[in-house]
Amino acid sequence: MKLDPFYPIFDSADWLERMLPLGVKLVQLRIKDRSEVETAREIARAKALCAEAGCVLVVNDYWRLAIAEGCGFVHLGQEDLDSADLAAIRKAGMKLGVSSHDEAELERALATQPDYVALGPVYPTILKAMKWGPQGLERVTEWKRRLGAIPLVGIGGISLERAPGVFEAGADIVAAVTDITLNADPETRLKAWVEATRNRI
């Protein structure tokens, strides 16, 4: 399965309802600070919306709920790997994306036999406090050389204007969060992303 090069990340199914009709074909649902019941409800709704739109849904972190809802893809951070049952994830037929920020984390990610590896932050990011500084485009090139055929996702501080450089450095997929969600006109911004990345499929 070839993944779409444009990978927006949203924190609610409401965002998906707004954005999926505009051409999104790969999306992550990253929910924080909700109850398990609310999160399960959001995942179920997101799954239904993505099925209708022909979009690949990646559930961040909540692998148990993703399995229970019959989802096909989960993303795990390094902390998530500490408690995740990778055998159960694979037994459920789910694909797996893993975050990485340094050499040790890359090795750990590769040991999971991931379906993609994310490297970040490529640029300074306002999304969350991180102990790692910006990785830069050279690291993107280095990571891609290490990954070979495994898709590399660039994430962190990436805008539509910065995306071409991230692709040129070696990323197969570029993730965007605040460049869309904090934009004054998210729909128009997302359409521009879709148009700019369609020729990379």
Side-chain angles (χ1 to χ4, degrees):
M1 177 181 70
K2 182 171 172 57
L3 296 170
D4 196 272
F6 172 47
Y7 188 16
I9 297 173
F10 299 112
D11 63 4
S12 72
D14 284 344
W15 272 110
L16 270 63
E17 189 169 26
R18 288 173 63 183
M19 297 301 175
L20 292 185
L22 305 180
V24 175
K25 294 303 174 186
L26 172 66
V27 70
Q28 184 181 125
L29 182 66
R30 179 195 279 167
I31 296 175
K32 301 293 182 185
D33 305 319
R34 300 268 196 105
S35 71
E36 188 162 315
V37 171
E38 287 178 302
T39 300
R41 190 180 303 122
E42 287 286 297
I43 291 172
R45 186 171 161 223
K47 184 188 175 210
L49 289 167
C50 285
E52 183 179 341
C55 177
V56 175
L57 172 65
V58 182
V59 176
N60 182 275
D61 188 9
Y62 290 96
W63 59 272
R64 290 185 183 87
L65 294 178
I67 290 174
E69 296 296 337
C71 297
F73 218 127
V74 67
H75 179 94
L76 298 177
Q78 293 283 321
E79 300 81 7
D80 303 323
L81 287 174
D82 294 337
S83 57
D85 186 338
L86 296 180
I89 290 170
R90 293 305 191 186
K91 184 178 180 183
M94 297 182 73
K95 294 186 180 300
L96 174 66
V98 181
S99 294
S100 66
H101 307 87
D102 58 30
E103 289 288 333
E105 291 192 353
L106 175 59
E107 291 301 325
R108 190 183 189 200
L110 289 172
T112 69
Q113 299 183 299
D115 294 281
Y116 73 70
V117 171
L119 168 65
V122 177
Y123 292 100
T125 177
I126 61 172
L127 188 63
K128 58 182 177 179
M130 304 186 82
K131 65 181 180 180
W132 299 274
Q135 302 291 317
L137 297 179
E138 295 84 2
R139 181 64 67 86
V140 174
T141 302
E142 177 190 338
W143 247 235
K144 183 55 188 174
R145 194 161 45 237
R146 297 273 300 277
L147 290 177
I150 300 170
L152 173 63
V153 177
I155 188 171
I158 300 177
S159 63
L160 181 59
E161 293 74 21
R162 286 171 166 171
V166 182
F167 283 123
E168 287 167 19
D172 302 285
I173 300 165
V174 168
V177 189
T178 57
D179 190 61
I180 297 165
T181 59
L182 296 184
N183 193 279
D185 186 349
E187 281 83 358
T188 297
R189 188 63 165 177
L190 185 130
K191 285 180 188 175
W193 269 98
V194 170
E195 290 169 11
T197 54
R198 273 297 158 261
N199 62 354
R200 306 195 63 88
I201 297 174

